[in-house]
Amino acid sequence: MKTRITELLQIEYPIFQGGMAWVADGDLAGAVSNAGGLGIIGGGNAPKEVVKANIDRVKSITNKPFGVNVMLLSPFADDIVDLVIETGVKVVTTGAGNPGKYLERLHDAGVIVIPVVPSVALAKRMEKLGVDAVITEGMEAGGHIGKLTTMTLVRQVVDSISIPVIAAGGIADGRGAAAAFMLGAEAVQIGTRFVVARESNAHQNFKDKIIKAKDIDTVVSAQVVGHPVRSIKNKLTSAYAKAEKEFLREQKTASEIDEMGAGSLRNAVVDGDVVNGSIMAGQIAGMVKKEETCKEIIEDIFYGAAQVITEESKRWENSIK
């Protein structure tokens, strides 16, 4: 299957691995790229030297294309953009802001820029800026989310812009990927399923919570202060729920709620604290039931999608005859 994305990035499969902070390190990104997808290092709030070590790690694993996710609200965003250019990284995805101030420099260095967008308006704005493609992420995704579902968002973004669209949020198997392709996406981005990949260095406690999750086990926290985050229910999400009620009664401030999450993702991913840490995962966690290699995950998604599309095409052809 060739799309504008596979041609642009020179990747075998139209599958991205999400740039998840603390999870998407050099080992995971390198394994995904080696398997034919696009591995992405999650920059998060990490300083330059940490991201550099992960870039070096990817390059030691594979010579295939990979990317770096730049969180634009990070205090190190300027440094990470400099690093990307210095080290010859060819793909950047961005989140939590507008990449406009960096776009000319990145393009001059031959870097492909793909921001994450939660709405049609922002997708149009990004196209006007001159980005190369957009990732449309629905609120089914884990971590920081927008307000629209993937099913609603992807089709409207595809209809509103001419650059390629990558679908994200709630996709973990071939059926989900096939649905995204039918909506007009030219690639899919996978997060939660890659968290539990064998090459993922996420703590086993974190992986086990995803593997054991049911369909209703994620919840959105911090909506009342405008920073909604989806994660698996635990003591931290219960504390968030209590604090949000207190916020509505003017007994808690927005900054106090924001501070509750400080360091909580690292605590879960690195230290394995799945009681008080933030277990960021998408609603699709209920379908993720085992650890597999990145190669197994990518091939299952791609060939699963191909099978669904082929079978449905035949079914429709037969129904028309």
Side-chain angles (χ1 to χ4, degrees), residues 154-264:
V154 172
R155 62 179 71 178
Q156 293 185 73
V157 171
V158 167
D159 288 347
S160 67
I161 60 176
S162 60
I163 56 176
V165 173
I166 298 98
I171 304 168
D173 67 350
R175 290 171 295 171
F181 294 140
M182 291 300 98
L183 294 175
E186 298 189 46
V188 294
Q189 179 168 284
I190 311 293
T192 303
R193 191 170 176 185
F194 278 126
V195 174
V196 304
R198 293 196 187 281
E199 297 92 341
S200 165
N201 291 318
H203 197 284
Q204 193 61 46
N205 291 351
F206 194 98
K207 292 183 177 183
D208 288 344
K209 288 294 286 187
I210 291 174
I211 290 169
K212 294 174 183 176
K214 300 188 295 295
D215 58 336
I216 58 171
D217 280 352
T218 68
V219 65
V220 179
S221 302
Q223 290 190 85
V224 296
V225 293
H227 305 133
V229 175
R230 183 178 298 285
S231 56
I232 293 175
K233 297 173 187 175
N234 64 356
K235 192 171 181 179
L236 177 64
T237 64
S238 296
Y240 264 119
K242 181 174 181 288
E244 289 179 69
K245 289 178 182 177
E246 292 173 346
F247 174 81
L248 294 174
R249 294 195 296 265
E250 299 184 352
Q251 296 171 341
K252 269 266 194 299
T253 65
S255 60
E256 286 176 312
I257 292 178
D258 285 338
E259 287 169 8
M260 290 175 60
S264 60

Side-chain angles (χ1 to χ4, degrees), residues 116-195:
V116 176
V117 298
S119 69
V120 169
L122 192 54
K124 288 181 176 179
R125 192 169 160 197
M126 292 299 102
E127 183 176 40
K128 283 185 178 179
L129 276 177
V131 303
D132 301 282
V134 295
I135 299 167
T136 58
E137 185 173 75
M139 53 86 69
E140 300 96 320
H144 295 276
I145 58 172
K147 296 180 179 180
L148 298 176
T149 66
T150 302
M151 179 67 72
T152 300
L153 180 61
V154 172
R155 62 179 71 178
Q156 293 185 73
V157 171
V158 167
D159 288 347
S160 67
I161 60 176
S162 60
I163 56 176
V165 173
I166 298 98
I171 304 168
D173 67 350
R175 290 171 295 171
F181 294 140
M182 291 300 98
L183 294 175
E186 298 189 46
V188 294
Q189 179 168 284
I190 311 293
T192 303
R193 191 170 176 185
F194 278 126
V195 174

